[in-house]
Structure formats: C-alpha cells, structure tokens
Amino acid sequence: LSDHARSWLEVARILDGGDVNGIICREELPTPALLLDLDAFEFNVQKMMSHVCEHNKTLRPHGKAHKSPEIAKYLITAGAVGACVAKLSEAEVFAEHGVGGLLVTTPVIGKYKIERALSLAKIQPDTILCVDNAQNVLDFSDAAVTRRLFLNLAIDLWIGRRTGVEPGAPSLALAQLIDSSPNVRFAGIQAYAGHASQVVGWEERRKTSRESMRQALDTKQLIEKNGMNVPLLTGGSTGTYDIDSQIEGMTELQPGSFIFMDVAYRRIGGKDGPVYQDFRNALSVLTTVISKPSRDIAVVDAGFKAFSTDQPVTPESKSAEGVVYRWAGDEHGILDLSQASQPLNVGSTVEFVIPHCDPTVNLYDRIFCLRGDTVEQVWSVAARGKCQ
Amino acid sequence: LSDHARSWLEVARILDGGDVNGIICREELPTPALLLDLDAFEFNVQKMMSHVCEHNKTLRPHGKAHKSPEIAKYLITAGAVGACVAKLSEAEVFAEHGVGGLLVTTPVIGKYKIERALSLAKIQPDTILCVDNAQNVLDFSDAAVTRRLFLNLAIDLWIGRRTGVEPGAPSLALAQLIDSSPNVRFAGIQAYAGHASQVVGWEERRKTSRESMRQALDTKQLIEKNGMNVPLLTGGSTGTYDIDSQIEGMTELQPGSFIFMDVAYRRIGGKDGPVYQDFRNALSVLTTVISKPSRDIAVVDAGFKAFSTDQPVTPESKSAEGVVYRWAGDEHGILDLSQASQPLNVGSTVEFVIPHCDPTVNLYDRIFCLRGDTVEQVWSVAARGKCQ
C-alpha cells in the first residue's frame, strides 16, 4: 500500500494536510506516535450508544479523555447530547470548534474565569456549569446580570471524594439559591462517584456506586418535593456505565475512557471475569527500538514524556507477546525480550496499549487514526494542555 | 502594582503580546500556571556557569528540561556552548529558533529521521548526533553522501543503563568506523551516567559517577592511542556536576535541571546535608482552591495533568507551611490543611514546588517568568510534546 520511496517532507506534508486517507502507513509515522484503531473506536462508541439508548439515558461523554473537537463531534453525530469537559479552557477550545452541549464538570472559580465562562455561554448558551458553594452562585449571578446573559448552573454533589456540596439539606439550599438568583437557572445535579469508577471487581464496584448514587437520588427527590424541577442527574464512568444505567432517576451518563480503554481500566475486572473487556483497546503508542544493548534487552524511544505514569501499571506490548516494558526515564523505555515471541532489532517498531488514557493523550498534539495499517484521519488534540 | 479592574480579555492580550514587563501580577494568571522565579533562575545559571569556567569545562545544558528556545538562548548568552536535546524533533524546534551547538543525546534511528537529521545539519552544521551501532553509522554516512552534506557523530557510551556501545574495544571499532566512513566526522564521546544522577548521598553519588566515568576515560585514551583525536567527552547531570567537573579528561558537562530544581532532586542530598540545595527552586506551579469540602480539606485545580507523577514524591507548598498535597486524579489535588500555617479558602492560590521538572514542563505551553510578584517575560515551551 505504502510507497517507501517517499521523502519525509512528502510524508509530513500529507500528515499536515488533512486529506491523508489511505496514503500513509503505520510504519511511516514518526515515533512515539499516538494511534487510534478506528474499527475498535467505532465499536466502542456504537456499544455505549446502544446501551444508553436501551436504558433511556442520554450520553454526554467526557471530553477530558480525548481533548479532541473531532472526537467530540463524532460522538455527537453518533447520538451524544454534547460533551463534558473538566476545565473552562477545555470548554473554550471545544466551543470555538463548534461543539455544543458542554457541561463543565469542575467548579469555575475566580473573577477572570467567571468572565470567561460568560463569554463561553454567549457562544454556546446551552453550556452547563457546576457549583458547590453559595458564593460561587452569587458571583455567577452578579456577573450574568452585568453582562445581561443567562447561565445554567448544576449543583455538584459530594458523593465522590473531590468536590461538591453535601447531599440532602445543603444541596437543597444551594439549588434554591440558584433558583432565586437573577440570570442563573437551576440545571440539575452532577453526581460523579469518582472513587467507584476503578473499584476492582464488578460486584464490589456496583455496591460502591449504588451507595453513592442512593444519596444523589434522595437529594433529587428532596429538591423535587420542594417544588423544583430536576431535569438532569448526570454521572457515571466507564467503570460503572452498566451499573448506573440501571438506576431509575439518573438521566445521563458521562463516561469518557470507553472510547479508548487502557491497561488500568482492563484490570478493574468485568462482569464475567478478571479482565474488563466490554470495550476494545483502541488507543496505543507506536515506538521504535533505538538501541539493542544485548540480545534480550531493547531500548525504545518512549518514556515518561510518551506515556503517563500516574497508574501503577506499565505499557503493554500489542506487537509481540512476552515483551516486558520497564520505565527508563523521560525519553526511554527498556524492553525485556527474554520471553518475547519474536526478535526485535534496532529500527523495529513496537506498539503499546497505554497505562492510562487521559493523561497520555494530553502529551500529544495529534492522534493518527488507522484503518488496518493505513492512516485514515489525523485528529487534533486541540485542548491538550488546557487544564486551566 | 496591578490593576484588578482589568478584564480578562485585556490580561490575555497582554500575556499573548510578549511585552508584558511588570503589568500583570501573579494573582492574575490563569491556574494551573507554570511559574519561573527569575531571581532564582539567574542565580542558578550564574552559579553553574562560574563552576564550569573555574574547572575549564564547557557547558551544554540539556534542553529536554526546559524545551524553550528562549531559555536555550539565555544560557548561550550566559556562556553555554549550545544545547543538548533528547530527540530530533526537539532539535528541529531549537534550530528553527536559531539555537546552535546542538547535541542530540538519543540515537536517531530510521530512514525518515536520518533524512530529517541531515536537514537539521544543513541549518545548523555544528550539530552533533550520537550513535551506538555500526549500521547507524553506515546509514548516516550513505545519506550524507547522497545529500552532499557532512555530519558530526559522537559515540554514545554504555556507562549508564539505557543506550550506548560497550566501553573499550567495541567503542574503538565504532570510532574507527566513523573515521573511515565518508561524509561523517568523529566528534567525540558522550558518556552519560544516568543512574548516577539521583543516587542519594553525595559520597555514594561520587563513587557511582567515578566508576562509570573511569570507563569513559579509559575508552578515550584507547581511541587516542590509536591515533584519533577525541575533542569531546560530554556527560554529567545536575546531581553530579561538582563531581564530574573534577575529572580531568572530561571536556563538557550537560546538566539540565539545575536551572529549575524540583522536589526529587532536593531529596538526593547535598555535600553538606540531607537536602541538595546547591541550586534554588526556581520553578513552581500556581494553583487555585476550587472547593472546600471541610475545614481541613481544600481541593486545588491541579492533578496529573498539571504535575508529572513519575517520581515517588508529591508537590510541596511554597505558599503556606504545613499544607500536604495528595493526588486526586487527572484534574484535582487534595490539600490536607490540618497543620497549615494559614487558612485557605475557595479562590485562594497555592504555589507548589514541582515533583520532577522535565516531564512537568512538558505539560505546559508557556512559562510565566516572574520578578517578585509581577510577570516580566512569557517564554514559550515551543518544543513541548516533541518526544519524536
């Protein structure tokens, strides 16, 4: 398929030009390179979409996993109602690229960020922001009045272990404050049980998620009993999607990693066994052997700057069985080949399933999307680095 | 100093415009933000420069730490002979910005990368590439002949635990191959003892570095005895700069982290005590408290995407004493305030010394350079993400 007589300048021009379909093959990509297996990606999207439709939930996949407007739009075309984003600056990039239905899942704090949130809402008026304290509601309301705009505010519920207002009476009070403040609308509840998502073992995970979501349902009922409508109860993760979809009263799921998968998620265990394999490994990093100090040791060009290191797992070889990756600093990985199914020499490429998708994607500017062995699309990680 | 009546649009315009000197203060920056304390940075550069001058070594600071052409140029103005870079794509960015004296410290492998290396050498003919195997030398030579260019090749010595040719006879053979191959010149030896750089305890570190460098010196002598000139013996790190500078026969040091420092480096111990403090902490990340779930717990907007996680240390507060940072996922950090010297509330900013400088810098696009509390410069991390 590929014409290896091409020069790098030609390859670079094709990769930069956008219309790459079928011209460049995997082995021509500059390594380390972030790869997406489109067949696996499409399978994952289709499976999640079917699941939420069957259970009458909406899907707002979390964009912090991919940071790519192309992927956000792909998901919306497939049936998603929009995209969650972790941070305001991520939302700004998505909005600039025409992605609507944004839900900013982390509190937006500070004068300048509130000003930016209002500018965002002007471009994408259906944007929803999450709040967990009264002062933040008042600040949003004041700023919205001044700008003559309206903001949609959801209360962020403390059922995980990060942010949020206490369930029950404090939540009701915050919802009522939003309801009574000018230029802000009560949009519903975000209840994200972050600690449940990676509990090992499906039954244990179900128990953890159920306990957390019970508080969210009770709070929703309390607010409704007090005469307010709660149009949104959003939460859930790739680890709990088939647990939370069973919960009546939840309106929406916001998983992110299911489109890609990673080593960490596969280890949490599935409904039927020790490996969670509801979704396929679609994301990988292509590396090259750059040194071969001995017969059983190879050094690849990918270290801490090519794979995130936040999870206690290492990259797993997709190319050859029995290859064991060991961290070797910022720029290198060392491969133990003593049990490898095939020899690897200087110049060989090795593809790895990544330890944790979100922070790994955040290291790259582009995702090379492959159909089989050729590049079909090059998608931009346009919100990379946007953690503000 | 600062006019807080400014709008975000004005602040963003000033920060993007370059001529920011003294107009914007620390508290106006969007968090998480990467900060450089210019007084500390200048102290560090001056101290290292004086040290290498005293010991008659040249300094080629490692650019993988900062990935910023502005910093590379600053260092050259201060007396450095150029910049080391880990990868070819990093070198390309530096070269485009006019940085010369480049030494690419990792082997450059593959047809396209060799083609790119030649294009780089055309722009910056004093560029040095490292090789550790014969085929790579032949590939460079062939490509250089075809392009009618000349390449400077140093042999990368296996004295650390990553890449390199064995010291002694194999190194001599590789040097001779370079010497006898057309269009490539033998530039010298790279001997980087990566495993020595973070050995805890100065004496132990000295022992480890000396043992490694002994092999480099022997190899250098062997090559010289065989009638070749070895103009360069480069190596060393921030951890061993004052050890390796004592070694006669080493011509050049290539430390990188000394300009910034980090928590990991401070823990390796110094000549006089358990904290390595030859250089000052110049780099930090500014965060904001975005939630306050209880009196003693605050949540900041900085997690795995704001700090690298490859070292077994956590960010250390510079703002308030007794604040303990705990990882809380991709986007959050949890602060234990039970021993804090001052209260922190929603909206408070907290500045942290970073765990490990190189991979943390690689998460950001800009470095805000402060003199006291105001931004004096905004430098670009132009080679961020360039791990190819």
Side-chain angles (χ1 to χ4, degrees):
Chain A
L1 259 172
S2 159
D3 176 8
H4 274 284
R6 265 193 288 261
S7 74
W8 167 249
L9 283 179
E10 289 171 87
V11 172
R13 202 166 45 230
I14 295 165
L15 292 175
D16 291 347
D19 191 17
V20 66
N21 197 349
I23 305 174
I24 303 291
C25 75
R26 180 190 316 252
E27 300 297 313
E28 288 178 285
L29 295 170
T31 65
L34 190 65
L35 309 186
L36 184 67
D37 174 339
L38 283 172
D39 289 339
F41 169 77
E42 290 165 5
F43 169 88
N44 293 344
V45 172
Q46 193 49 54
K47 179 160 182 181
M48 181 62 86
M49 218 46 247
S50 304
H51 183 84
V52 296
C53 285
E54 257 171 50
H55 294 83
N56 294 312
K57 312 297 185 202
T58 57
L59 183 71
R60 200 182 311 248
H62 214 308
K64 79 185 182 72
H66 56 75
K67 288 180 170 276
S68 167
E70 284 101 331
I71 294 183
K73 287 184 204 170
Y74 180 97
L75 289 161
I76 289 169
T77 303
V81 295
C84 289
V85 286
K87 301 290 182 77
L88 179 67
S89 60
E90 215 167 71
E92 289 170 338
V93 172
F94 279 21
E96 277 162 27
H97 285 81
V99 177
L102 297 169
L103 169 64
V104 185
T105 58
T106 306
V108 172
I109 299 295
K111 168 182 172 286
Y112 289 138
K113 286 202 176 158
I114 286 174
E115 183 188 333
R116 289 164 66 174
L118 281 153
S119 302
L120 172 67
K122 198 171 175 181
I123 308 174
Q124 299 289 2
D126 62 357
T127 300
I128 301 169
L129 301 160
C130 290
V131 292
D132 74 357
N133 75 83
Q135 187 58 51
N136 197 209
V137 172
L138 299 175
D139 291 345
F140 274 125
S141 175
D142 286 353
V145 168
T146 306
R147 292 277 291 269
R148 297 185 195 180
L149 291 167
F150 285 83
L151 286 178
N152 307 301
L153 302 183
I155 60 169
D156 179 31
L157 211 65
W158 175 265
I159 60 156
R161 286 163 192 172
R162 286 174 189 148
T163 58
V165 57
E166 292 273 329
S171 290
L172 174 62
L174 195 61
Q176 287 172 328
L177 178 66
I178 296 169
D179 201 40
S180 64
S181 298
N183 293 49
V184 291
R185 297 186 198 102
F186 177 64
I189 300 171
Q190 170 175 268
Y192 177 64
H195 64 296
S197 66
Q198 301 225 342
V199 167
V200 174
W202 192 85
E203 268 305 332
E204 197 55 36
R205 203 152 66 239
R206 194 172 83 97
K207 206 169 139 253
T208 310
S209 188
R210 282 290 168 125
E211 275 166 17
S212 297
M213 295 313 297
R214 167 56 41 213
Q215 301 175 71
L217 294 171
D218 290 348
T219 300
K220 186 185 181 206
Q221 279 183 1
L222 178 68
I223 295 172
E224 285 170 341
K225 265 188 207 152
N226 280 268
M228 289 171 67
N229 186 26
V230 184
L232 179 75
L233 176 54
T234 181
S237 63
T238 294
T240 62
Y241 82 104
D242 59 344
I243 294 161
D244 300 334
S245 63
Q246 310 292 331
I247 300 174
E248 211 170 323
M250 278 209 77
T251 66
E252 182 174 289
L253 299 186
Q254 50 171 262
S257 305
F258 70 97
I259 60 171
F260 294 143
M261 291 303 290
D262 55 32
V263 175
Y265 250 129
R266 289 177 73 83
R267 297 210 173 171
I268 66 170
K271 221 170 174 170
D272 351 288
V275 178
Y276 177 66
Q277 45 194 358
D278 291 23
F279 302 96
R280 291 169 57 188
N281 283 325
L283 199 70
S284 60
V285 167
L286 187 71
T287 70
T288 300
V289 174
I290 57 165
S291 186
K292 190 88 191 284
S294 66
R295 201 180 60 95
D296 285 345
I297 297 288
V299 181
V300 290
D301 55 355
F304 305 151
K305 290 177 182 167
F307 297 108
S308 79
T309 55
D310 55 285
Q311 300 294 318
V313 292
T314 47
E316 287 184 359
S317 169
K318 276 183 86 167
S319 305
E321 279 180 55
V323 171
V324 180
Y325 178 102
R326 185 157 57 78
W327 302 111
D330 299 348
E331 320 286 350
H332 303 88
I334 290 179
L335 307 187
D336 178 344
L337 306 178
S338 55
Q339 307 295 322
S341 63
Q342 59 190 76
L344 293 173
N345 293 306
V346 171
S348 299
T349 57
V350 194
E351 200 175 327
F352 291 93
V353 181
I354 58 173
H356 181 194
C357 54
D358 302 27
T360 298
V361 173
N362 189 46
L363 298 170
Y364 292 88
D365 291 306
R366 302 195 286 186
I367 306 177
F368 298 107
C369 309
L370 281 89
R371 185 82 62 190
D373 282 327
T374 63
V375 181
E376 189 172 294
Q377 304 266 345
V378 182
W379 287 342
S380 159
V381 190
R384 188 216 49 76
K386 299 295 182 189
C387 60
Q388 290 75 28
Chain B
L1 259 172
S2 159
D3 176 9
H4 275 284
R6 265 194 289 260
S7 74
W8 167 249
L9 284 179
E10 289 171 85
V11 173
R13 202 164 45 229
I14 296 165
L15 291 175
D16 291 346
D19 191 16
V20 66
N21 197 350
I23 304 173
I24 303 291
C25 75
R26 179 190 316 252
E27 300 296 313
E28 288 178 285
L29 295 170
T31 65
L34 189 66
L35 309 186
L36 183 67
D37 175 338
L38 284 172
D39 288 340
F41 168 76
E42 289 165 4
F43 169 88
N44 293 344
V45 173
Q46 194 49 55
K47 179 160 182 182
M48 181 62 85
M49 217 45 248
S50 304
H51 182 83
V52 296
C53 284
E54 257 169 51
H55 294 82
N56 294 312
K57 312 297 184 201
T58 58
L59 183 72
R60 200 182 309 250
H62 214 307
K64 79 184 183 74
H66 56 73
K67 288 178 169 276
S68 167
E70 284 102 331
I71 293 182
K73 288 185 206 170
Y74 180 96
L75 288 161
I76 289 169
T77 304
V81 295
C84 290
V85 288
K87 302 290 182 78
L88 179 67
S89 60
E90 216 167 71
E92 289 170 338
V93 172
F94 280 21
E96 278 161 28
H97 285 81
V99 177
L102 297 169
L103 168 64
V104 185
T105 58
T106 307
V108 172
I109 298 295
K111 169 183 171 284
Y112 289 138
K113 285 200 177 159
I114 286 175
E115 183 188 334
R116 289 163 67 175
L118 281 153
S119 302
L120 172 68
K122 198 170 177 182
I123 308 173
Q124 299 288 2
D126 62 357
T127 299
I128 301 168
L129 302 160
C130 289
V131 291
D132 74 358
N133 74 83
Q135 187 58 52
N136 199 207
V137 172
L138 299 175
D139 291 345
F140 274 126
S141 176
D142 285 352
V145 168
T146 306
R147 292 276 290 271
R148 298 184 193 180
L149 291 167
F150 286 82
L151 286 177
N152 307 301
L153 302 183
I155 59 169
D156 181 30
L157 211 64
W158 175 264
I159 59 155
R161 287 163 191 172
R162 287 173 189 149
T163 58
V165 59
E166 293 273 329
S171 290
L172 173 62
L174 195 63
Q176 286 172 329
L177 178 66
I178 297 169
D179 202 40
S180 64
S181 299
N183 292 50
V184 291
R185 297 187 199 101
F186 177 63
I189 301 171
Q190 169 175 268
Y192 177 64
H195 64 295
S197 66
Q198 301 226 343
V199 167
V200 174
W202 192 85
E203 268 305 333
E204 196 55 36
R205 204 153 65 239
R206 195 170 80 97
K207 206 169 139 256
T208 309
S209 188
R210 283 287 170 127
E211 276 166 18
S212 297
M213 295 313 297
R214 167 55 41 211
Q215 301 177 69
L217 293 171
D218 290 348
T219 301
K220 187 186 180 204
Q221 279 183 2
L222 177 69
I223 295 172
E224 286 169 342
K225 266 188 208 154
N226 279 270
M228 290 171 64
N229 186 26
V230 184
L232 180 74
L233 176 54
T234 180
S237 62
T238 294
T240 62
Y241 82 105
D242 59 344
I243 294 161
D244 300 333
S245 62
Q246 310 292 329
I247 300 175
E248 211 171 323
M250 277 208 78
T251 67
E252 180 175 288
L253 300 185
Q254 49 170 266
S257 306
F258 71 96
I259 59 172
F260 293 145
M261 292 301 291
D262 54 33
V263 175
Y265 250 128
R266 289 177 73 82
R267 297 210 173 173
I268 66 170
K271 221 168 173 171
D272 351 288
V275 178
Y276 177 66
Q277 44 195 0
D278 291 23
F279 302 96
R280 291 169 58 187
N281 282 324
L283 200 69
S284 61
V285 167
L286 187 71
T287 71
T288 299
V289 174
I290 57 166
S291 186
K292 189 87 190 284
S294 66
R295 200 180 58 96
D296 284 346
I297 298 288
V299 182
V300 289
D301 54 357
F304 305 151
K305 291 178 183 166
F307 297 107
S308 79
T309 56
D310 55 286
Q311 300 294 318
V313 292
T314 48
E316 286 183 359
S317 170
K318 277 183 86 166
S319 306
E321 279 180 54
V323 171
V324 180
Y325 178 101
R326 185 157 56 77
W327 301 112
D330 299 346
E331 319 285 350
H332 303 87
I334 290 179
L335 308 187
D336 179 344
L337 306 178
S338 56
Q339 308 294 322
S341 63
Q342 59 190 76
L344 291 173
N345 293 307
V346 172
S348 300
T349 57
V350 194
E351 201 174 325
F352 291 92
V353 180
I354 59 174
H356 181 194
C357 54
D358 302 28
T360 298
V361 172
N362 189 47
L363 299 169
Y364 292 88
D365 292 305
R366 304 195 284 188
I367 306 177
F368 298 106
C369 308
L370 281 89
R371 186 80 65 188
D373 283 326
T374 65
V375 181
E376 189 173 293
Q377 304 267 345
V378 181
W379 287 343
S380 161
V381 190
R384 188 216 48 74
K386 300 295 182 190
C387 60
Q388 290 75 30

